Amino acid sequence: MKIVQLTAENVKKLKVVDITPTKDFIQITGKNGSGKTSVLDSISWALGGKDGIQWKPIREGAEKARIRLNLGDVIVERRFTQNGTSLTVENADGARYPSPQAMLDELIGELSFDPLAFAHMDPRKQYDELKRVAKIGVDIEDLEAKSKADFEKRTVKNREAKEVKARAGGYEFKFAADVEQVDVSGLIGKLQTAAQHNADIDRRAERRADTVSLIEDGKKDIAELEVKLAKMREHVAGMEKQVATAEALPKKVNVDELRNLIEEGQQKNVEHERRREQRKLLEQSAAFEGEAEALTKAIAERDAAKAKALQESKMPVPGLSLSDGRVHFGGVPFNQCSSAEQLRTSVAIAMAANPKLRVIRIKDGSLLDDDGLKLIAEQAKENDYQIWIERVDTSGKIGIVMEDGEVARDNETSTAA
Ligand SMILES: Nc1ncnc2c1ncn2[C@@H]1O[C@H](COP(=O)(O)OP(=O)(O)OP(=O)(O)O)[C@@H](O)[C@H]1O
Ligand SMILES: [Mg+2]
């Protein structure tokens, strides 16, 4: 659906304008202030809601204004009075639609999208505009910010894991990892008991040696003390018997062995403690690694959600994407694409955003050189769209020439107004 005929009376600069395009590339030309934008605004005001209409739509001095758009299958008429605006939409048979604006909203898409204006926006505005047109379902900035934060956290976690692992690797061991803990204080107790035992034996041995020497003394005394001999002999015999029947002395305990056990036991216990610390550090490092892995997963999930949302969104042209607050085309930031690429893509967005009403408005057409104009005209022809483009031109030889709010000449049909 395209514009078959546009009639506008008293809209902004316009007096009476009646345009029936014969081509799909409609250039509205003329001097500054001649009424070119007023023509383009008439199109969008007829079709868009009340909100887009400017503060003073009726021409100064006039009481009312009127725009009539013949779209072939439907005829749209918007009227302005000092009290406000009204809208009627009729089909070809003259039957009126009960909810005209709802009917138009269904039809018109993104008529406000001006491809040339888009191509000249700064990257941030382009991003916002494309996000609006493509109706993205997720908060891309939020996803990107979260992933950035997680990325930083993950770097910290990975570093912590590495540090702790390095500390765990710094331990040295003499005994095998499965060595048991040793009861050193038990061994010390045993040592004390053994020492006591041995001292007792020493004392007894000493006493025994004393007795032997007493026997010797006694024998000597026998000779001298003959009188006491018999008694003494008996006494000595008794003592001899005592010595003879005494039990063998027990074997001494090997204390060196115990000392070695104690020393080794202490070393083992130190290592035991060291192993426990090492285990703790390894567990900690594994936990850090686990956290880093979870962060990696979260980042990947968000990337996937973003990719999915972008895939599911109505991105109007293949190769267009949104990331880092910029529009990208074919992976390259949009403002780094060639002017021709930017222009072609912008027009393609405008077309995709207006699938039913095949009309595109371009206000700053004067910014385009001949190549740009040609490119847009060809693109419109290929895709069967109608382009309404405003250009300052004072030659009077191009397109529909506006002069003081009226069509002065239509070069397409070559009939002077
Ligand atoms: N309600 C109005 N009544 C009368 N004149 C108006 C009204 N609104 C705007 N104008 C005048 O219309 C002129 C601008 O019209 P318009 O924007 O259509 O011109 P243009 O041809 O697009 O100009 P440019 O080449 O500068 O873009 C200005 O002189 C402005 O003062
Ligand atoms: Mg203008």
Side-chain angles (χ1 to χ4, degrees):
M1 196 180 273
K2 294 176 188 166
I3 297 172
V4 177
Q5 186 185 14
L6 161 68
T7 320
E9 281 169 33
N10 295 333
V11 178
K12 284 174 83 175
K13 178 75 184 179
L14 305 182
K15 291 170 185 163
V16 182
V17 161
D18 188 346
I19 298 172
T20 303
T22 53
K23 286 183 176 176
D24 277 346
F25 192 66
I26 303 142
Q27 302 189 65
I28 312 291
T29 64
K31 294 199 285 194
N32 285 133
S34 56
K36 303 182 291 299
T37 300
S38 303
V39 171
L40 294 192
D41 284 345
S42 296
I43 295 174
S44 51
W45 291 359
L47 299 169
K50 284 180 205 162
D51 294 347
I53 296 171
Q54 284 172 317
W55 180 250
K56 187 172 160 53
I58 302 173
R59 189 167 63 88
E60 178 68 40
E63 284 298 308
K64 53 190 183 175
R66 186 178 80 101
I67 308 164
R68 188 169 180 278
L69 269 189
N70 182 348
L71 302 175
D73 294 340
V74 287
I75 291 166
V76 180
E77 189 158 321
R78 187 175 281 285
R79 291 172 181 275
F80 300 87
T81 65
Q82 302 300 336
N83 296 326
T85 171
S86 64
L87 176 72
T88 56
V89 179
E90 294 175 357
N91 69 14
D93 301 330
R96 288 191 174 183
Y97 287 87
S99 315
Q101 191 61 58
M103 184 271 164
L104 290 181
D105 288 346
E106 169 65 21
L107 187 70
I108 61 173
E110 280 296 337
L111 195 63
S112 63
F113 185 89
D114 179 333
L116 194 57
F118 178 80
H120 288 98
M121 278 173 193
D122 68 48
R124 181 71 223 186
K125 285 216 175 97
Q126 278 176 339
Y127 177 86
D128 291 338
E129 177 72 351
L130 186 57
K131 222 167 82 170
R132 184 182 70 78
V133 171
K135 299 179 176 65
I136 305 289
V138 296
D139 185 344
I140 294 177
E141 280 86 352
D142 184 50
L143 290 177
E144 286 178 349
K146 280 186 178 142
S147 279
K148 188 165 176 267
D150 273 2
F151 188 82
E152 280 161 12
K153 274 197 227 159
R154 184 179 64 177
T155 307
V156 171
K157 284 294 164 202
N158 277 331
R159 197 175 51 227
E160 283 176 349
K162 215 173 142 190
E163 279 168 10
V164 172
K165 208 181 216 170
R167 271 165 60 201
Y171 285 104
E172 280 177 11
F173 299 102
K174 179 176 160 194
F175 299 102
D178 57 357
V179 78
E180 298 264 332
Q181 242 178 322
V182 174
D183 177 8
V184 173
S185 53
L187 286 172
I188 289 172
K190 269 189 193 169
L191 175 64
Q192 281 167 348
T193 312
Q196 184 96 39
H197 174 82
N198 292 351
D200 277 355
I201 291 167
D202 285 344
R203 259 196 314 277
R204 286 171 71 189
E206 221 174 283
R207 275 207 306 273
R208 216 163 274 193
D210 286 351
T211 308
V212 171
S213 94
L214 279 177
I215 292 167
E216 292 302 316
D217 290 350
K219 277 181 178 170
K220 277 183 200 154
D221 286 353
I222 286 169
E224 293 164 14
L225 304 168
E226 287 230 304
V227 262
K228 294 178 185 174
L229 183 62
K231 235 176 161 182
M232 189 60 80
R233 190 170 277 154
E234 204 180 323
H235 179 59
V236 168
M239 282 194 289
E240 271 178 335
K241 194 178 171 195
Q242 201 183 338
V243 170
T245 58
E247 62 179 79
L249 287 176
K251 220 181 147 195
K252 274 193 171 186
V253 172
N254 184 352
V255 181
D256 288 344
E257 206 175 300
L258 273 174
R259 282 214 183 82
N260 287 342
L261 280 174
I262 287 168
E263 198 183 320
E264 192 183 88
Q266 279 166 334
Q267 286 174 5
K268 281 179 181 171
N269 287 354
V270 167
E271 283 197 7
H272 219 271
E273 180 57 21
R274 219 175 271 167
R275 293 240 176 239
R276 204 181 55 78
E277 281 171 14
Q278 188 192 42
R279 266 198 310 280
K280 231 167 87 185
L281 290 174
L282 289 173
E283 272 166 23
Q284 208 180 348
S285 125
F288 284 151
E289 279 168 356
E291 281 175 53
E293 228 168 80
L295 290 168
T296 302
K297 199 171 153 228
I299 291 169
E301 277 171 5
R302 258 182 239 116
D303 283 350
K306 197 170 94 185
K308 185 162 171 272
L310 289 176
Q311 207 178 13
E312 285 171 359
S313 72
K314 298 173 188 154
M315 200 50 79
V317 175
L320 270 182
S321 61
L322 296 170
S323 66
D324 305 327
R326 284 167 179 271
V327 175
H328 292 248
F329 181 63
V332 177
F334 195 71
N335 63 347
Q336 288 177 224
C337 295
S338 74
S339 302
E341 274 170 346
Q342 290 185 35
L343 196 57
R344 199 182 298 117
T345 309
S346 301
V347 173
I349 296 171
M351 287 174 178
N354 293 288
K356 292 182 190 162
L357 181 67
R358 304 177 85 80
V359 172
I360 292 168
R361 296 150 52 261
I362 299 176
K363 281 192 179 172
D364 281 322
S366 308
L367 298 174
L368 289 171
D369 62 10
D370 288 346
D371 287 347
L373 276 175
K374 214 172 122 196
L375 189 145
I376 291 181
E378 280 168 5
Q379 211 175 344
K381 199 169 165 200
E382 264 168 41
N383 296 283
D384 193 27
Y385 269 77
Q386 198 180 48
I387 306 266
W388 290 70
I389 182 166
E390 165 182 352
R391 285 174 71 198
V392 174
D393 179 87
T394 51
S395 73
K397 290 180 180 151
I398 294 170
I400 295 168
V401 184
M402 295 299 297
E403 213 175 280
D404 197 21
E406 288 176 304
V407 175
R409 183 180 164 80
D410 184 344
N411 288 293
E412 307 304 348
T413 52
S414 291
T415 43

